[in-house]
Amino acid sequence: QVQLVESGGGLVQPGGSLRLSCAASRTIFSVKNMGWYRQAPGKQRELVAAFTSGGSTNYVDSVKGRFTISRDNAKNTVYLQMNSLKPEDTAVYSCNAQWGLQVYWGQGTQVTVSS
């Protein structure tokens, strides 16, 4: 069983920054598909940023230029740097990763952008 544990969420003012972390209990060295999703109240979960099997990164249009996904294989951790945060970024952010055919999810961390 693999565990993904997110951290770094919280309350931030508009224009502020947060860095989310997703720590895996298993090596991510060979993991190609790994990403961050978010779900706001009353809305469907959406992909925010992800590493793809082709080795590239994808971002939802609304966060391009503001969010950056990165990874530290030595720490088995994926990060989401979020800058210039807006109230519409408020959501529960979750990470997922795929080992073989199995996809695992973290429990999520709340991000609230409000003045």
Side-chain angles (χ1 to χ4, degrees), residues 47-102:
L47 173 66
V48 178
F51 293 101
T52 70
S53 57
S56 62
T57 54
N58 285 339
Y59 296 90
V60 66
D61 285 346
S62 61
V63 308
K64 286 181 179 177
R66 300 189 296 124
F67 291 11
T68 303
I69 189 171
S70 63
R71 62 194 290 169
D72 186 336
N73 290 342
K75 295 183 178 180
N76 296 326
T77 301
V78 175
Y79 303 98
L80 184 67
Q81 178 66 43
M82 307 186 294
N83 299 327
S84 302
L85 283 161
K86 304 175 181 180
E88 51 264 43
D89 293 319
T90 295
V92 175
Y93 286 70
S94 303
C95 67
N96 83 346
Q98 182 174 354
W99 282 266
L101 299 179
Q102 188 69 44

Side-chain angles (χ1 to χ4, degrees), residues 10 12-13 19 28-30 36 42 55 79 83 90 94 105 108 111:
V12 63
Q13 292 187 342
R19 188 178 78 155
I28 66 169
F29 181 79
S30 61
W36 287 95
Y79 303 98
N83 299 327
T90 295
S94 303
W105 289 87
V111 172

Side-chain angles (χ1 to χ4, degrees), residues 7-63:
S7 60
L11 174 64
V12 63
Q13 292 187 342
S17 298
L18 284 174
R19 188 178 78 155
L20 305 183
S21 299
C22 173
S25 61
R26 182 175 176 180
T27 179
I28 66 169
F29 181 79
S30 61
V31 173
K32 293 181 172 61
N33 295 314
M34 195 165 190
W36 287 95
Y37 290 72
R38 68 184 179 188
Q39 187 166 21
K43 294 187 177 181
Q44 290 189 337
R45 184 168 59 192
E46 67 171 350
L47 173 66
V48 178
F51 293 101
T52 70
S53 57
S56 62
T57 54
N58 285 339
Y59 296 90
V60 66
D61 285 346
S62 61
V63 308

